[in-house]
Amino acid sequence: DPSPVFTSLKSFAPATVANLGPGFDFLGCAVDGVGDYVTASVDTSVRPGSVAISSITKLNRNPLWNCAGIAAIEVMRSLAVRSVGVSLQLHKGLPLGSGLGSSAASAAAAAVAVNELFGGHLSPSELVLACLVSEAKVSGYHADNVGPAIMGGFVLIRSYDPLEILRLEFPADRDLYFVLASPDFEAPTKKMRAALPADVRMKDHIFNSSQAAALVAAVLQGDVRVLGAALSSDVIVEPKRAPLIPGMAGVKRAALEAGAFGCTISGAGPTAVAVIDSEEKGKVIGERMVEAFLSDGGLSASMTVSRLDRVGARVV
């Protein structure tokens, strides 16, 4: 039963791009500039050993049905905290159902905040496991968002049972920018997962496997062109999900015509993600993507150009 080392602290967890095209449920990365904040506080009005959510917008305040609350409860359980209660304040910087790991960011920020409140005894892998309990309840048992949200950078989930996550180091001296175009449209993860095929042709399996392997090699080598080509080449998941996002095919076409090295759906969507090696080029690509969402899908959209978040969830 560890004693708290702080009375209150604030944490941040970044947005994430899951799947990266052919890496369905086993590849993901963190992107900078946007995410969720959680403040965790020792609270005498909360029953010892339990968690309450004192402040939140647009979401369920019941900690048993809230991503941040579930992850916080798991961390408390793992640490065997019994003598004090904790309250959470959650500030959502990410829209719901955006394909940018909204639920994972909430869970990761809460897990890190509660862990650090009691001295930071849990490892990153243990924090990912706590967040996976949350993800399983709201969107499915997959770590391609919570992994990079906790650990930062690019991650590869080698195994789920037992959990083994490999961090992939993108060279610090190479330029990589993510162009994120987010339409005013919600794509619930459970609905988008229901669209996936039950069976996959051997030919498609082989092709996607080679693209995922090429993407990993490109990350390690800092080759943004190959990374983009591989990211653009999913023949299993994207063809089933793209028709459910109005204008997605046109958005991808516009991004590539504007010079993007690759473009695909971020996570379950509806955000589209493109990659490039220049921020200025990224802004032009993003403008074309926003225009395509409107012309091809009838959706207004916003765009941002982000870099890789190499740190992951942290105390701020």
Side-chain angles (χ1 to χ4, degrees), residues 48-100:
S50 64
V51 172
I53 297 174
S54 60
S55 173
I56 198 170
T57 53
K58 298 185 290 186
L59 289 168
N60 196 325
R61 286 180 64 165
N62 182 341
L64 299 177
W65 290 100
N66 175 277
C67 306
I70 297 166
I73 289 167
E74 283 302 308
V75 170
M76 296 271 280
R77 185 176 296 149
S78 297
L79 291 171
V81 175
R82 293 183 295 273
S83 58
V84 298
V86 170
S87 63
L88 304 178
Q89 292 178 298
L90 173 60
H91 174 72
K92 290 294 295 177
L94 289 171
L96 308 179
S98 60
L100 292 171

Side-chain angles (χ1 to χ4, degrees), residues 122-233:
L122 300 185
S123 69
S125 290
E126 289 171 316
L127 292 175
V128 172
L129 281 170
C131 293
L132 272 173
V133 176
S134 166
E135 287 287 82
K137 209 161 196 176
V138 299
S139 65
Y141 194 84
H142 56 96
D144 47 348
N145 288 115
V146 292
I150 290 287
M151 301 170 74
F154 286 93
V155 303
L156 162 67
I157 295 92
R158 194 202 68 79
S159 168
Y160 276 97
D161 188 17
L163 182 68
E164 183 180 350
I165 300 181
L166 306 178
R167 201 169 184 279
L168 307 174
E169 291 293 341
F170 186 85
D173 61 346
R174 301 293 175 89
D175 288 326
L176 169 62
Y177 292 89
F178 299 89
V179 185
L180 304 167
S182 300
D184 187 14
F185 180 79
E186 191 170 335
T189 302
K190 287 187 176 179
K191 176 184 176 183
M192 299 303 276
R193 290 182 87 85
L196 302 181
D199 300 298
V200 175
R201 294 187 305 169
M202 179 63 75
K203 176 183 175 183
D204 293 339
H205 164 67
I206 293 169
F207 183 80
N208 258 42
S209 296
S210 69
Q211 300 307 312
L215 196 150
V216 170
V219 167
L220 297 175
Q221 294 170 2
D223 191 329
V224 185
R225 288 183 181 273
V226 173
L227 193 162
L231 174 135
S232 256
S233 298

Side-chain angles (χ1 to χ4, degrees), residues 6 9-16 29-40 104-117 120 124 127 131 146-153 167 307-316:
F6 300 97
L9 54 76
K10 188 177 185 179
S11 65
F12 168 82
T16 48
C29 68
V31 294
D32 73 2
V34 64
D36 286 0
Y37 291 88
V38 168
T39 300
S106 297
V112 165
V114 173
N115 185 45
E116 293 300 324
L117 197 67
L127 292 175
C131 293
V146 292
I150 290 287
M151 301 170 74
R167 201 169 184 279
R307 302 194 76 152
L308 186 69
D309 184 310
R310 297 174 181 270
V311 181
R314 64 267 198 184
V315 171
V316 295

